Amino acid sequence: MFEDSLLESGGRIKSKTMYWIWATGAFWFVILLALILIPLLYPEALPKNMMVASLSAPPPPPPPPPPPPPPEVVKPIKIVSEIDQGLHAPTKIPKDIKMIKEDAAPPPAGVGVAGMSGMGSGSGNGVFGGMGLGTATSPKINVAPPKPTGPARISGGVIAGNLINKVTPTYPPIARAAHVGGQVMLHAIISKTGTITSLQAISGPAMLQGAALDAVRQWRYKPYLLNGEPTEVDTTITVNFNLNGS
């Protein structure tokens, strides 16, 4: 009973499954064979675009660019000046040589320079004869020296030689008691007449500057001459204060 319940039991139960498998395989084989043989037997049935695409060759590559032209050769041009050409010897001697005759310049009429015929004792023809260079005298030109626009800067040692009246400064008692001494330097402007018009203290002890200013204002100088004329002088004056002196 168990064997009879199975699909196949020793060949006693026959099934149609194997026939269907063989029949399906044969059907698909026929279809595949037809798909292969039909294009071979009838190529007109294939689409033309596909055949053209498959059979057309690719376009050729573009031609290479032409080679560049060869560089131009620049030939130097030698320039010969007319002077160099004239210095070379001629290659051949010409048969006929033409002479160019120029007319002589007319002689000068009368005296070379008007209004100077009476000068000198030379001949009356030409400029040199009329001017008489042998005996004529050149005029003398006097150039005036430039006038100074301000006081002349003169050193203290030079202007000290023009001092004609010197007043000795009084030693301040407070400076002597404090044992203060030394030099006081003053800046002075001396007028054309020799008087001091401007006076300022530059350096020195403050206790001694007042006495130095009072004394130097009374000093008198000879006028300083520049190019023979009196002129103002810008200078410095040094006043010494000595504790050991009188």
Side-chain angles (χ1 to χ4, degrees):
M1 184 181 294
F2 182 74
E3 293 179 354
D4 293 339
S5 65
L6 295 176
L7 293 176
E8 295 181 358
S9 59
R12 288 183 293 179
I13 300 174
K14 297 180 179 180
S15 175
K16 297 181 179 180
T17 304
M18 294 298 294
Y19 298 105
W20 282 106
I21 293 174
W22 286 103
T24 305
F27 177 75
W28 287 110
F29 178 75
V30 172
I31 292 176
L32 180 62
L33 185 62
L35 292 176
I36 295 173
L37 294 176
I38 288 174
L40 297 176
L41 298 175
Y42 303 98
E44 294 82 0
L46 294 175
K48 296 182 178 180
N49 294 335
M50 184 180 297
M51 294 180 65
V52 171
S54 61
L55 297 178
S56 61
E72 298 181 359
V73 179
V74 180
K75 296 182 179 180
I77 300 174
K78 186 178 181 181
I79 300 175
V80 182
S81 63
E82 295 180 358
I83 298 176
D84 295 337
Q85 292 178 358
L87 296 178
H88 295 296
T91 58
K92 62 180 180 177
I93 300 175
K95 296 181 179 180
D96 298 333
I97 300 175
K98 295 181 180 181
M99 301 296 294
I100 300 174
K101 184 178 181 181
E102 297 181 356
D103 297 335
V111 182
V113 179
M116 302 182 69
S117 60
M119 298 177 62
S121 59
S123 61
N125 296 328
V127 177
F128 294 99
M131 294 180 64
L133 297 179
T135 59
T137 58
S138 60
K140 185 178 181 181
I141 301 175
N142 295 326
V143 180
K147 294 183 179 180
T149 57
R153 179 68 179 174
I154 307 298
S155 64
V158 175
I159 200 64
N162 290 4
L163 183 61
I164 56 176
N165 184 19
K166 180 179 181 180
V167 176
T168 303
T170 303
Y171 212 115
I174 187 172
R176 187 183 294 273
H179 299 281
V180 176
Q183 293 180 343
V184 177
M185 183 172 291
L186 308 176
H187 174 252
I189 301 295
I190 302 175
S191 65
K192 297 179 180 180
T193 58
T195 58
I196 296 177
T197 58
S198 177
L199 190 63
Q200 296 176 353
I202 300 175
S203 63
M207 294 182 180
L208 304 176
Q209 290 181 4
L213 291 171
D214 294 339
V216 174
R217 285 192 182 96
Q218 305 177 40
W219 291 7
R220 295 294 179 269
Y221 294 85
K222 292 188 298 183
Y224 184 81
L225 301 179
L226 183 63
N227 296 326
E229 295 184 1
T231 184
E232 288 185 329
V233 173
D234 184 348
T235 186
T236 56
I237 300 174
T238 303
V239 181
N240 296 318
F241 288 89
N242 189 4
L243 288 172
N244 298 326
S246 55

